Amino acid sequence: MDKPAIILVSAQMGENIGTAARAMLNCGLRDLRLVGPRDGWPNVKAERAAVGAFEMMEPVKVFDTTEQACADLTYVYATSARDRKMVKPVVTARFAATEAREKIAAGGKIGFMFGAERMGLVNDDVALADALLTVPLNPEFTSLNLAQAVLLVGYEWYQSGDKTPPAQMDMNGTELATKDQVYAFFEHFERELDACGFLRNEAARPNMVRNLRNMWSRAQLTEQEVRTLHGVVKELTTLRVPRK
């Protein structure tokens, strides 16, 4: 799948361009477009801040105007934290990421546009975009630096296509114990608890056993852990000659 372009309009510092490129590559984005970078291009400070990101990306494209940077795109999102008083769709980064994938799958070319560090995009640039993109943050403080903004948008893009399970257990070469193995441990454990008198209260015994079994079940024991627990119970219940 083609991936969105990142358009930085009037970026003021090379370091911010470099860290934005680093954020892009973190999220699999490689098409960086610069419109009138204040300190020119190429930029040594940007190279240093990118920590090698530029070497793994497409060559950076530099344009004189925002219109030129967006000319080959079919849909552009302009990022902003402010109300621009324009009749224009306003979407979150999460929604935009999913929508962008749909548009790209249909043959479109997408761009995410970011403004200068000091004040963001000017309204003339925003007017060229199809939609406004915003990130819901603390309304009392929504300020982001350029790389943070790029990373947030890029992250939502990457996550919208990522298949990583939301949670998983690293088994480290072992397997979860079968229920039969766990139930056998229940019997062994409870038999020894009966023998030592821990479960002597007949009225309370059913609830105590239930709580113990629930505790062990919640632990998602592995085969090795069940074997270890059998060994622990055996050692604790074996008569030993006291040490002198």
Side-chain angles (χ1 to χ4, degrees):
M1 175 180 282
D2 289 334
K3 297 175 182 178
I6 298 296
I7 306 159
L8 306 184
V9 181
S10 302
Q12 296 171 310
M13 298 176 62
E15 293 91 340
N16 291 336
I17 297 173
T19 51
R22 185 176 178 181
M24 284 175 61
L25 197 58
N26 286 153
C27 303
L29 301 175
R30 300 171 184 270
D31 183 358
L32 175 59
R33 306 180 182 196
L34 305 178
V35 179
R38 186 192 67 181
D39 294 340
W41 194 262
N43 186 290
V44 174
K45 292 181 178 179
E47 293 280 354
R48 291 172 180 167
V51 196
F54 289 122
E55 299 170 9
M56 302 174 64
M57 297 168 61
E58 301 172 17
V60 176
K61 305 177 184 70
V62 182
F63 301 89
D64 294 325
T65 67
T66 304
E67 290 94 329
Q68 292 171 347
C70 298
D72 65 324
L73 304 176
T74 60
Y75 202 90
V76 176
Y77 298 91
T79 60
S80 179
R82 310 194 307 273
D83 182 3
R84 299 306 183 116
K85 307 299 182 183
M86 295 183 185
V87 179
K88 195 180 291 288
V90 180
V91 299
T92 65
R94 186 162 301 173
F95 178 89
T98 301
E99 184 181 58
R101 285 189 180 273
E102 294 171 353
K103 291 182 181 299
I104 290 174
K109 295 190 68 176
I110 307 301
F112 293 113
M113 186 194 306
F114 300 81
E117 297 89 325
R118 186 172 62 86
M119 60 180 293
L121 292 166
V122 299
N123 284 343
D124 286 344
D125 290 325
V126 174
L128 299 175
D130 299 276
L132 272 172
L133 184 157
T134 188
V135 178
L137 294 170
N138 174 14
E140 296 178 358
F141 194 79
T142 59
S143 176
L144 295 171
N145 68 35
L146 187 57
Q148 287 175 322
V150 171
L151 182 59
L152 280 173
V153 173
Y155 175 80
E156 293 293 356
W157 159 262
Y158 192 85
Q159 288 299 304
S160 68
D162 185 50
K163 303 302 181 184
T164 303
Q168 56 188 325
M169 178 74 75
D170 187 352
M171 298 305 298
N172 196 29
T174 187
E175 299 289 339
L176 285 175
T178 65
K179 291 302 181 185
D180 186 54
Q181 292 169 326
V182 175
Y183 297 160
F185 170 68
F186 288 171
E187 294 177 3
H188 181 194
F189 187 52
E190 292 155 18
R191 184 170 61 250
E192 296 300 341
L193 290 178
D194 278 325
C196 74
F198 182 80
L199 298 175
R200 59 186 174 275
N201 188 324
E202 290 297 324
R205 187 182 188 283
N207 192 52
M208 294 172 68
V209 168
R210 189 179 305 115
N211 288 339
L212 289 168
R213 290 186 174 192
N214 183 58
M215 178 184 69
W216 293 121
S217 296
R218 192 172 64 243
Q220 290 189 293
L221 297 168
T222 66
E223 293 177 346
Q224 179 58 53
E225 288 169 341
V226 168
R227 287 193 293 270
T228 299
L229 287 170
H230 275 296
V232 168
V233 173
K234 180 180 178 181
E235 287 298 313
L236 288 174
T237 57
T238 298
L239 181 63
R240 296 185 177 184
V241 176
R243 292 181 178 179
K244 295 182 180 180

